[in-house]
Amino acid sequence: MFDSLDQELKSTVHAWWPRPGGWQTLEFDLGIWENDCLLPLVEWTGAPACAADVSDSSVALVTGLGTDGRRWQAWLNLGNAAALLAEQPEDVDDVSLWVGTPEFDEAVRRKRAELEAAVPADAEAALAWAAAADLPAPAQQPRVEELLRSRELFVEDLFSALLDELGFPEATEPSPEPSGPSAARAFRPWAAARTRPRSLIRPDPDERP
């Protein structure tokens, strides 16, 4: 699917530790992954997939797509998402002068309440998506809702935790590669996630049971 990328761009794609069953999490630098890549990815693998669009490691919008075409979305780090999405008054020309004012705080509070109200439906949709992936461990909606309302310094950690909570097998450290210039580098999930703006999970079609 990524054969059209030149070698320089391919070198910026990094893999987190793999998960049993052929599930993989990949990181893409800004400008490589686009939202319309999700459908071709699902068609290519024949399995559900999701992507997290991460901004400055502080907020992420997760989008999942099933083989039945049903799509779901959920924000991570709701406080930061609310600040990002708060409706700006039309008469504000300089956002920096608006941020931190009582009016801004109220706009953020309203947006946070709106995002909070969507959490149960977001969790339910995520669970339905995970169920279609035939994962071995059934997820619990209260735990998924709790995670969607929680906060982490690095939002990539929340994304990884969300995958765990949805029932994906725990990521495992790959076997050491032979040393030398051609050896692939193995990235710890948290270290790689902090340094790249986008993450993706998908099953490898050659490794799925």
Side-chain angles (χ1 to χ4, degrees), residues 84-133:
L84 178 68
L85 300 172
E87 185 175 354
Q88 178 182 333
E90 295 182 359
D91 59 351
V92 172
D93 297 323
D94 189 339
V95 177
S96 65
L97 299 178
W98 179 55
V99 173
T101 64
E103 292 77 12
F104 171 78
D105 293 341
E106 176 59 22
V108 172
R109 186 196 65 76
R110 289 195 302 268
K111 180 55 69 173
R112 175 64 185 261
E114 180 182 322
L115 295 175
E116 288 269 5
V119 164
D122 294 343
E124 183 177 1
L127 286 168
W129 171 84

Side-chain angles (χ1 to χ4, degrees), residues 41-174:
L41 180 62
V42 170
E43 293 174 341
W44 180 54
T45 61
C50 73
D53 193 349
V54 179
S55 176
D56 295 329
S57 288
S58 64
V59 62
L61 176 62
V62 181
T63 303
L65 182 65
T67 55
D68 59 0
R70 286 189 293 181
R71 183 181 297 260
W72 63 274
Q73 289 188 313
W75 288 95
L76 300 179
N77 269 356
L78 294 188
N80 293 340
L84 178 68
L85 300 172
E87 185 175 354
Q88 178 182 333
E90 295 182 359
D91 59 351
V92 172
D93 297 323
D94 189 339
V95 177
S96 65
L97 299 178
W98 179 55
V99 173
T101 64
E103 292 77 12
F104 171 78
D105 293 341
E106 176 59 22
V108 172
R109 186 196 65 76
R110 289 195 302 268
K111 180 55 69 173
R112 175 64 185 261
E114 180 182 322
L115 295 175
E116 288 269 5
V119 164
D122 294 343
E124 183 177 1
L127 286 168
W129 171 84
D134 294 325
L135 300 176
Q140 302 298 319
Q141 182 159 340
R143 284 288 301 126
V144 175
E145 290 186 23
E146 179 182 351
L147 188 145
L148 292 179
R149 292 188 174 98
S150 63
R151 183 185 185 281
E152 290 288 348
L153 178 61
F154 296 101
V155 75
E156 294 90 343
D157 294 339
L158 270 182
F159 178 58
S160 182
L162 176 62
L163 298 179
D164 293 340
E165 202 61 54
L166 288 173
F168 285 91
E170 184 177 353
T172 56
E173 184 175 10

Side-chain angles (χ1 to χ4, degrees), residues 25-57:
T25 308
L26 303 179
E27 293 183 19
F28 297 83
D29 279 346
L30 187 66
I32 298 178
W33 176 264
E34 300 295 342
N35 289 334
D36 57 7
C37 293
L38 199 54
L39 177 58
L41 180 62
V42 170
E43 293 174 341
W44 180 54
T45 61
C50 73
D53 193 349
V54 179
S55 176
D56 295 329
S57 288

